[in-house]
Amino acid sequence: MRLTPISNLMAKPSFLPPFMFGLLFATFGVILSAKYSSITVDQSALLALKSHITHDPHNFLATNWSTSTSVCSWIGVTCGSRHHRVTALNLSSMDLTGTISSQLGNLSFLAWLDIHQNSFHGSLPIELTNLRRMKYLDFANNSINGEIPSWFGCFSKLQRLSLYLNNFIGVIPSTLGNLSKLEMLSLGGNQISGRIPNSLFKCKELKFLSLFNNSLDGRIPTEIGNLTLLEALSLGSNHLEGEIPSTIGNLTTLEAINLSVNNLSGEIPSNIGNLISLTDIDLSDNYLTVSSSYNS
Ligand SMILES: *[C@@H]1O[C@H](CO)[C@@H](O)[C@H](O)[C@H]1NC(C)=O
Ligand SMILES: *[C@@H]1O[C@H](CO)[C@@H](O)[C@H](O)[C@H]1NC(C)=O
Ligand SMILES: *[C@@H]1O[C@H](CO)[C@@H](O)[C@H](O)[C@H]1NC(C)=O
Ligand SMILES: *[C@@H]1O[C@H](CO)[C@@H](O)[C@H](O)[C@H]1NC(C)=O
Ligand SMILES: *[C@@H]1O[C@H](CO)[C@@H](O)[C@H](O)[C@H]1NC(C)=O
Ligand SMILES: *[C@@H]1O[C@H](CO)[C@@H](O)[C@H](O)[C@H]1NC(C)=O
Ligand SMILES: *[C@@H]1O[C@H](CO)[C@@H](O)[C@H](O)[C@H]1NC(C)=O
Ligand SMILES: *[C@@H]1O[C@H](CO)[C@@H](O)[C@H](O)[C@H]1NC(C)=O
Ligand SMILES: *[C@@H]1O[C@H](CO)[C@@H](O)[C@H](O)[C@H]1NC(C)=O
Ligand SMILES: *[C@@H]1O[C@H](CO)[C@@H](O)[C@H](O)[C@H]1NC(C)=O
């Protein structure tokens, strides 16, 4: 086939209309099919999740999540106005029992996922790693088990992560240190063991850090002093030992600190007294002594 130079086409106006029409039609067809298939992927991902729910006592999803209506009108589902894709899924406090299906990883525009206070069990499927827009993950108060996935480190936009009150085991993955936007990390009430990784203190935006009621051991890293925006620190009921690092006195925005029920020893750093925002402090059930400089 001989390629017609552009200048030749321009010189023959009679050839233009059908050529343009064909181009327009092809473009429109591509847009139509892309749009159709995208929302279809979201719909089948949500239907797969529905099929993994074994108990829905209030029939929240049973009748409402019906293919006769748009997924964007389904209870707990929010779509973006621009792409008309699922951006948020909120199934919190619905008393649902089930597992988290791998197809959830196909909701590629999902940025908010809140399923706290249900009875989801099983481990988190690796397919969730595809959800690169994720900003907000709340799995609190379920029965999810397995290790905290190291691939959480891929959610570079994540601001809030709560795994509070589940059955997670193993260590805190050092990849969480990649979450440079993280403001809230709540891992309390699991069976997490090992040390608090130093990399965690690369998360400079952290305001709320709660690791209480686990089996963490080792010392509180001195790098904790790097979290200069921290407002609440809860490390109670673990097996932490050694001294409280004096760098804690750098955390001038700290409002609440709870290090109770650990094996901490030595003197309480006197510079804790410099923390003028501090209103709640619980250091009970440790082997701490009060610094003599408090008397001066
Ligand atoms: C599903 O629930 C939403 C939110 O409560 C409601 O607006 C919608 O009408 C319901 N759809 C059906 C088919 O019941
Ligand atoms: C989900 O819904 C609950 C109850 O309506 C609300 O408290 C919570 O903030 C919502 N989660 C998100 C991420 O908007
Ligand atoms: C969705 O996810 C599942 C499992 O991760 C996969 O097998 C399937 O091909 C994906 N795509 C669509 C369009 O459902
Ligand atoms: C956890 O969820 C259950 C209901 O599933 C509720 O009764 C309980 O109060 C919740 N616990 C916390 C600490 O929120
Ligand atoms: C995250 O951090 C680890 C080391 O903590 C690094 O090896 C990895 O390349 C980083 N990136 C991702 C996307 O996890
Ligand atoms: C903590 O801050 C110091 C001084 O700014 C820096 O050298 C160190 O790398 C930081 N540590 C982490 C884990 O971010
Ligand atoms: C800590 O966890 C244990 C079970 O591992 C539970 O019995 C206890 O109530 C929890 N304490 C708090 C304060 O949540
Ligand atoms: C500190 O945390 C422990 C659990 O680790 C809890 O029992 C206690 O009530 C907390 N103290 C305060 C003042 O909240
Ligand atoms: C403190 O250390 C002792 C001795 O190693 C150990 O028996 C005890 O269980 C520890 N307590 C806590 C709360 O970690
Ligand atoms: C944090 O506190 C320590 C000890 O109190 C001090 O030596 C250090 O310079 C402080 N670091 C920063 C980054 O402010």
Side-chain angles (χ1 to χ4, degrees):
M1 197 182 110
R2 194 174 64 92
L3 287 174
T4 315
I6 295 286
S7 56
N8 278 10
L9 285 179
M10 295 315 238
K12 291 179 200 153
S14 63
F15 183 66
L16 258 180
F19 173 77
M20 290 277 279
F21 184 76
L23 192 72
L24 202 72
F25 190 78
T27 311
F28 194 52
V30 167
I31 288 170
L32 259 187
S33 74
K35 188 161 184 171
Y36 175 77
S37 67
S38 308
I39 199 67
T40 303
V41 169
D42 287 2
Q43 189 194 55
S44 57
L46 291 173
L47 288 175
L49 178 67
K50 182 181 173 180
S51 74
H52 281 73
I53 288 172
T54 53
H55 193 50
D56 175 10
H58 312 292
N59 284 328
F60 276 123
L61 311 187
T63 49
N64 191 283
W65 282 24
S66 144
T67 50
S68 61
T69 57
S70 157
V71 292
C72 300
S73 70
W74 290 2
I75 192 164
V77 177
T78 305
C79 291
S81 49
R82 228 172 107 225
H83 303 283
H84 197 67
R85 298 287 305 271
V86 175
T87 53
L89 183 60
N90 188 348
L91 305 179
S92 65
S93 309
M94 289 186 173
D95 292 329
L96 303 172
T97 304
T99 55
I100 297 164
S101 57
S102 60
Q103 287 90 340
L104 214 54
N106 291 343
L107 295 175
S108 43
F109 281 72
L110 198 66
W112 286 269
L113 177 57
D114 185 353
I115 59 165
H116 86 267
Q117 207 148 313
N118 283 288
S119 299
F120 282 97
H121 55 91
S123 57
L124 297 176
I126 192 168
E127 286 80 5
L128 297 185
T129 194
N130 297 328
L131 305 175
R132 296 300 168 95
R133 288 179 164 83
M134 200 57 84
K135 277 190 194 156
Y136 186 113
L137 268 182
D138 192 347
F139 293 131
N141 200 0
N142 281 283
S143 303
I144 303 170
N145 57 33
E147 301 200 347
I148 299 175
S150 61
W151 47 257
F152 271 152
C154 297
F155 296 142
S156 59
K157 297 184 172 156
L158 204 61
Q159 293 172 0
R160 280 174 79 98
L161 175 60
S162 179
L163 306 180
Y164 170 61
L165 217 50
N166 277 284
N167 299 323
F168 284 99
I169 55 162
V171 300
I172 300 175
S174 62
T175 52
L176 293 190
N178 294 355
L179 305 177
S180 59
K181 303 247 164 57
L182 201 64
E183 292 174 16
M184 191 263 205
L185 180 64
S186 181
L187 305 178
N190 284 284
Q191 288 107 54
I192 303 167
S193 55
R195 293 170 182 244
I196 303 173
N198 282 350
S199 66
L200 204 56
F201 305 105
K202 291 199 295 178
C203 303
K204 293 237 165 37
E205 303 291 318
L206 270 178
K207 292 189 180 120
F208 182 96
L209 176 60
S210 173
L211 308 175
F212 84 99
N213 217 13
N214 278 293
S215 301
L216 295 166
D217 57 30
R219 294 169 160 262
I220 300 174
T222 56
E223 286 86 349
I224 197 149
N226 287 21
L227 301 181
T228 52
L229 301 177
L230 205 62
E231 292 168 11
L233 177 66
S234 177
L235 304 177
S237 300
N238 278 290
H239 308 296
L240 299 170
E241 58 183 26
E243 297 186 355
I244 299 175
S246 63
T247 52
I248 227 156
N250 295 343
L251 304 178
T252 51
T253 52
L254 211 54
E255 293 166 15
I257 181 168
N258 188 341
L259 307 178
S260 70
V261 200
N262 275 294
N263 259 343
L264 299 169
S265 57
E267 286 187 354
I268 298 170
S270 58
N271 59 8
I272 279 189
N274 300 341
L275 302 176
I276 52 166
S277 306
L278 202 58
T279 53
D280 290 315
I281 178 162
D282 189 350
L283 307 178
S284 62
D285 291 297
N286 280 294
Y287 302 97
L288 296 163
T289 57
V290 176
S291 160
S292 52
S293 59
Y294 272 120
N295 299 329
S296 56

mmCIF file of all heavy atoms in Angstrom, residues 191-208:
data_model
loop_
_atom_site.group_PDB
_atom_site.id
_atom_site.type_symbol
_atom_site.label_atom_id
_atom_site.label_comp_id
_atom_site.label_asym_id
_atom_site.label_seq_id
_atom_site.Cartn_x
_atom_site.Cartn_y
_atom_site.Cartn_z
ATOM 1 N N GLN A 191 -0.976 -10.018 67.395
ATOM 2 C CA GLN A 191 0.073 -10.834 68.030
ATOM 3 C C GLN A 191 1.396 -10.580 67.310
ATOM 4 O O GLN A 191 2.111 -11.516 66.939
ATOM 5 C CB GLN A 191 -0.300 -12.315 67.975
ATOM 6 C CG GLN A 191 -1.430 -12.698 68.924
ATOM 7 C CD GLN A 191 -2.736 -12.980 68.192
ATOM 8 O OE1 GLN A 191 -2.765 -13.808 67.279
ATOM 9 N NE2 GLN A 191 -3.794 -12.300 68.579
ATOM 10 N N ILE A 192 1.698 -9.309 67.128
ATOM 11 C CA ILE A 192 2.912 -8.929 66.415
ATOM 12 C C ILE A 192 4.105 -9.022 67.359
ATOM 13 O O ILE A 192 4.017 -8.598 68.519
ATOM 14 C CB ILE A 192 2.767 -7.501 65.845
ATOM 15 C CG1 ILE A 192 1.531 -7.428 64.937
ATOM 16 C CG2 ILE A 192 4.008 -7.093 65.070
ATOM 17 C CD1 ILE A 192 1.136 -6.016 64.584
ATOM 18 N N SER A 193 5.213 -9.584 66.857
ATOM 19 C CA SER A 193 6.391 -9.769 67.709
ATOM 20 C C SER A 193 7.620 -9.142 67.054
ATOM 21 O O SER A 193 7.527 -8.517 65.997
ATOM 22 C CB SER A 193 6.602 -11.264 67.949
ATOM 23 O OG SER A 193 6.692 -11.929 66.713
ATOM 24 N N GLY A 194 8.756 -9.326 67.686
ATOM 25 C CA GLY A 194 9.995 -8.755 67.155
ATOM 26 C C GLY A 194 10.158 -7.304 67.561
ATOM 27 O O GLY A 194 9.433 -6.801 68.427
ATOM 28 N N ARG A 195 11.120 -6.648 66.931
ATOM 29 C CA ARG A 195 11.454 -5.276 67.289
ATOM 30 C C ARG A 195 10.676 -4.268 66.473
ATOM 31 O O ARG A 195 10.151 -4.594 65.416
ATOM 32 C CB ARG A 195 12.947 -5.052 67.097
ATOM 33 C CG ARG A 195 13.682 -5.874 68.112
ATOM 34 C CD ARG A 195 15.170 -5.952 67.905
ATOM 35 N NE ARG A 195 15.664 -6.820 68.948
ATOM 36 C CZ ARG A 195 16.493 -6.416 69.906
ATOM 37 N NH1 ARG A 195 16.975 -5.202 69.914
ATOM 38 N NH2 ARG A 195 16.850 -7.254 70.849
ATOM 39 N N ILE A 196 10.646 -3.033 66.957
ATOM 40 C CA ILE A 196 10.061 -1.945 66.177
ATOM 41 C C ILE A 196 11.119 -1.539 65.156
ATOM 42 O O ILE A 196 12.216 -1.130 65.546
ATOM 43 C CB ILE A 196 9.702 -0.736 67.076
ATOM 44 C CG1 ILE A 196 8.748 -1.172 68.194
ATOM 45 C CG2 ILE A 196 9.108 0.395 66.253
ATOM 46 C CD1 ILE A 196 8.470 -0.089 69.237
ATOM 47 N N PRO A 197 10.855 -1.698 63.829
ATOM 48 C CA PRO A 197 11.924 -1.412 62.860
ATOM 49 C C PRO A 197 12.268 0.080 62.804
ATOM 50 O O PRO A 197 11.373 0.925 62.832
ATOM 51 C CB PRO A 197 11.337 -1.896 61.530
ATOM 52 C CG PRO A 197 9.868 -1.876 61.720
ATOM 53 C CD PRO A 197 9.603 -2.097 63.177
ATOM 54 N N ASN A 198 13.561 0.380 62.734
ATOM 55 C CA ASN A 198 14.020 1.771 62.647
ATOM 56 C C ASN A 198 13.417 2.501 61.451
ATOM 57 O O ASN A 198 13.174 3.706 61.505
ATOM 58 C CB ASN A 198 15.539 1.817 62.513
ATOM 59 C CG ASN A 198 16.222 1.579 63.838
ATOM 60 O OD1 ASN A 198 15.564 1.562 64.884
ATOM 61 N ND2 ASN A 198 17.516 1.382 63.805
ATOM 62 N N SER A 199 13.167 1.740 60.362
ATOM 63 C CA SER A 199 12.661 2.371 59.136
ATOM 64 C C SER A 199 11.324 3.069 59.375
ATOM 65 O O SER A 199 10.982 4.009 58.671
ATOM 66 C CB SER A 199 12.517 1.335 58.026
ATOM 67 O OG SER A 199 11.512 0.411 58.362
ATOM 68 N N LEU A 200 10.576 2.607 60.388
ATOM 69 C CA LEU A 200 9.266 3.212 60.680
ATOM 70 C C LEU A 200 9.392 4.716 60.944
ATOM 71 O O LEU A 200 8.475 5.488 60.673
ATOM 72 C CB LEU A 200 8.662 2.510 61.899
ATOM 73 C CG LEU A 200 7.148 2.538 62.059
ATOM 74 C CD1 LEU A 200 6.465 1.977 60.827
ATOM 75 C CD2 LEU A 200 6.744 1.748 63.283
ATOM 76 N N PHE A 201 10.555 5.108 61.451
ATOM 77 C CA PHE A 201 10.736 6.515 61.825
ATOM 78 C C PHE A 201 11.144 7.388 60.646
ATOM 79 O O PHE A 201 11.465 8.560 60.799
ATOM 80 C CB PHE A 201 11.691 6.597 63.018
ATOM 81 C CG PHE A 201 11.190 5.735 64.149
ATOM 82 C CD1 PHE A 201 11.776 4.517 64.445
ATOM 83 C CD2 PHE A 201 10.051 6.112 64.850
ATOM 84 C CE1 PHE A 201 11.261 3.697 65.439
ATOM 85 C CE2 PHE A 201 9.529 5.299 65.853
ATOM 86 C CZ PHE A 201 10.145 4.085 66.147
ATOM 87 N N LYS A 202 11.102 6.773 59.443
ATOM 88 C CA LYS A 202 11.216 7.562 58.208
ATOM 89 C C LYS A 202 9.858 8.156 57.827
ATOM 90 O O LYS A 202 9.790 9.034 56.974
ATOM 91 C CB LYS A 202 11.706 6.670 57.050
ATOM 92 C CG LYS A 202 13.147 6.222 57.195
ATOM 93 C CD LYS A 202 13.724 5.745 55.849
ATOM 94 C CE LYS A 202 13.028 4.502 55.354
ATOM 95 N NZ LYS A 202 13.519 4.026 54.049
ATOM 96 N N CYS A 203 8.803 7.644 58.459
ATOM 97 C CA CYS A 203 7.444 8.138 58.173
ATOM 98 C C CYS A 203 7.239 9.445 58.932
ATOM 99 O O CYS A 203 6.587 9.487 59.980
ATOM 100 C CB CYS A 203 6.395 7.116 58.578
ATOM 101 S SG CYS A 203 6.585 5.509 57.808
ATOM 102 N N LYS A 204 7.777 10.515 58.400
ATOM 103 C CA LYS A 204 7.869 11.795 59.111
ATOM 104 C C LYS A 204 6.532 12.489 59.325
ATOM 105 O O LYS A 204 6.449 13.429 60.104
ATOM 106 C CB LYS A 204 8.806 12.724 58.326
ATOM 107 C CG LYS A 204 10.250 12.256 58.327
ATOM 108 C CD LYS A 204 11.128 13.327 58.892
ATOM 109 C CE LYS A 204 12.512 12.851 59.277
ATOM 110 N NZ LYS A 204 13.150 11.865 58.438
ATOM 111 N N GLU A 205 5.495 12.048 58.578
ATOM 112 C CA GLU A 205 4.187 12.692 58.715
ATOM 113 C C GLU A 205 3.343 12.064 59.825
ATOM 114 O O GLU A 205 2.223 12.511 60.065
ATOM 115 C CB GLU A 205 3.405 12.614 57.393
ATOM 116 C CG GLU A 205 4.099 13.222 56.190
ATOM 117 C CD GLU A 205 4.203 14.732 56.260
ATOM 118 O OE1 GLU A 205 3.210 15.365 56.664
ATOM 119 O OE2 GLU A 205 5.280 15.268 55.955
ATOM 120 N N LEU A 206 3.882 11.045 60.494
ATOM 121 C CA LEU A 206 3.079 10.328 61.494
ATOM 122 C C LEU A 206 2.624 11.241 62.633
ATOM 123 O O LEU A 206 3.430 11.928 63.258
ATOM 124 C CB LEU A 206 3.860 9.158 62.081
ATOM 125 C CG LEU A 206 3.740 7.801 61.398
ATOM 126 C CD1 LEU A 206 4.636 6.777 62.100
ATOM 127 C CD2 LEU A 206 2.306 7.290 61.377
ATOM 128 N N LYS A 207 1.309 11.203 62.892
ATOM 129 C CA LYS A 207 0.733 11.950 64.007
ATOM 130 C C LYS A 207 0.229 11.003 65.088
ATOM 131 O O LYS A 207 0.122 11.370 66.236
ATOM 132 C CB LYS A 207 -0.449 12.789 63.513
ATOM 133 C CG LYS A 207 -0.046 13.912 62.588
ATOM 134 C CD LYS A 207 -1.240 14.814 62.336
ATOM 135 C CE LYS A 207 -0.864 15.952 61.420
ATOM 136 N NZ LYS A 207 -1.667 15.921 60.193
ATOM 137 N N PHE A 208 -0.122 9.794 64.662
ATOM 138 C CA PHE A 208 -0.741 8.827 65.563
ATOM 139 C C PHE A 208 -0.060 7.481 65.339
ATOM 140 O O PHE A 208 -0.111 6.942 64.240
ATOM 141 C CB PHE A 208 -2.243 8.757 65.238
ATOM 142 C CG PHE A 208 -3.026 7.835 66.120
ATOM 143 C CD1 PHE A 208 -3.709 8.332 67.222
ATOM 144 C CD2 PHE A 208 -3.105 6.472 65.847
ATOM 145 C CE1 PHE A 208 -4.446 7.473 68.042
ATOM 146 C CE2 PHE A 208 -3.830 5.609 66.667
ATOM 147 C CZ PHE A 208 -4.508 6.119 67.760
#
